[in-house]
Each structure stands twice: as C-alpha cells, then as structure tokens.
Amino acid sequence: MLHLRFDNNQLSGEIPSSIFTMSGLTYLGLPQNSLSGEIPPQISGLSSLTGLYLNGNNFSGSIPPEIGDITDLSIIDLSQNNFTGTIPSELSNLTLLQELTISNNELTGAIPSSFLSFSSLNGFTFNYNQLDVFPAELSNLVLNYGVADHNLFTFEDIQNMPSEIQFNPQNTIYAYDTTYLEAGITGVI
C-alpha cells in the first residue's frame, strides 16, 4: 500500500507525469494547493488507486474519462477546481465508488443516467456547477446523502431526484437557484 499525500502546501504547476506511472499507488492526496493544468489521460496508469483527492486546486479542462478505468477507486474529490465540460459517463465503470465530490467547478449538462449502475455509492456532492439535467432514471438511486444545489436544475429535475434523499430528515438534497425565481418558474410545485 503506497500513499502520496501533500495536503495544504503551496505546490504549484502541473502534476509530474512520473506520478502517473506509480501503478502501486493506492492514495493520491494533493488537496488545497495551487496545482494547475489539465489532468492527463495517463491518470489511468494509477490502476491500484482507491482514493483520489485533487480538491482545492486550479485544475482546468475536462474531467478525464480515463478515471473510469481506475476500477478500485472508492473516493473521488475533484471539488474546488475549474473543470469544465460534462461529467464523464465512464465514471459509472467505478463499481466500488462510495463518494463522488465534484462541487465548485464549471461542469455543464446532465448527470449521466449510467450512474444508476453505482451499487456502492453512499453519496455525491455536485453543488456549485452549471448542471441542468437530473435524469428521471436516477430517481431509483439509493444514497445516504446528496448535495446538488446551485446548479441549473428545473422543478422537473428536482422531482426526478431520489425521494429517500429529498424527504428523509436525516439526509438532505438541495436543489435551488435564485435565477429561476427571477426568470419565472413554470411547472407544478
């Protein structure tokens, strides 16, 4: 078991490519630094990784679909970066995934309906993005928690969210955006 952890330092620049050849690495933690650039497809070389923490940096570009090839991943935290584009559907290949945190980015589009295949997922945090579709297929997703506020969801999307999350007082899912109040909401409340 090999862990690489450099939390809350002042690391800057891109992640050295040599890290992506460390196939025995089980934990990569580089949160709260000033790292930048795109995450390269070579991240799939970290085939033993179970925890990936790249939150609180300045990474940009798309979330690489190759992360979906790291089948032992159980926790991903890519929050507080500048990722753009859509959430890759390839993440649904991660059958051991328990927590997915991709909040505070600039992600757009739909949450992939293929996420229904997550059998181990305890929860997700998707807030503070520009996501605009929560597929109806995901209404059967069983989670312990979910946070999706500050996106561009409609009331129809909110109705598609798992009822266990919406109404269980011990678990909360948020989905609101004041721009809809200003622009006028249509649909059933």
Side-chain angles (χ1 to χ4, degrees):
M1 184 180 298
L2 181 61
H3 288 218
L4 182 61
R5 185 173 177 174
F6 291 101
D7 300 21
N8 297 302
N9 287 287
Q10 295 179 3
L11 299 176
S12 61
E14 297 184 359
I15 299 175
S17 60
S18 59
I19 287 179
F20 301 120
T21 64
M22 301 173 75
S23 60
L25 191 65
T26 58
Y27 180 100
L28 178 58
L30 301 171
Q32 306 304 322
N33 283 291
S34 295
L35 296 168
S36 60
E38 296 187 11
I39 306 299
Q42 291 79 5
I43 194 166
S44 63
L46 300 175
S47 56
S48 300
L49 207 61
T50 60
L52 177 63
Y53 298 86
L54 300 178
N55 51 301
N57 282 288
N58 296 309
F59 292 115
S60 60
S62 298
I63 295 174
E66 290 80 6
I67 290 178
D69 296 334
I70 310 171
T71 56
D72 288 339
L73 272 172
S74 61
I75 299 175
I76 298 174
D77 190 343
L78 302 176
S79 63
Q80 299 175 336
N81 280 291
N82 298 308
F83 288 114
T84 58
T86 59
I87 301 170
S89 61
E90 290 83 356
L91 295 182
S92 62
N93 297 337
L94 304 174
T95 57
L96 301 177
L97 192 65
Q98 296 175 12
E99 295 179 22
L100 177 60
T101 304
I102 54 176
S103 58
N104 295 85
N105 280 291
E106 299 172 28
L107 298 169
T108 58
I111 295 172
S113 57
S114 60
F115 279 16
L116 187 57
S117 66
F118 285 136
S119 57
S120 300
L121 192 66
N122 288 325
F124 63 77
T125 308
F126 295 160
N127 57 322
Y128 290 96
N129 279 291
Q130 297 171 31
L131 301 170
D132 59 6
V133 176
F134 196 102
E137 297 89 348
L138 295 182
S139 65
N140 295 320
L141 194 60
V142 178
L143 301 169
N144 290 324
Y145 70 92
V147 182
D149 62 291
H150 292 85
N151 278 289
L152 302 176
F153 296 126
T154 64
F155 275 105
E156 181 179 344
D157 293 313
I158 294 169
Q159 291 172 344
N160 291 338
M161 293 179 184
S163 60
E164 297 85 4
I165 301 299
Q166 286 180 304
F167 303 111
N168 184 338
Q170 295 179 344
N171 300 304
T172 306
I173 189 160
Y174 302 97
Y176 58 86
D177 190 320
T178 57
T179 58
Y180 286 107
L181 296 177
E182 295 167 7
I185 302 173
T186 60
V188 178
I189 298 178

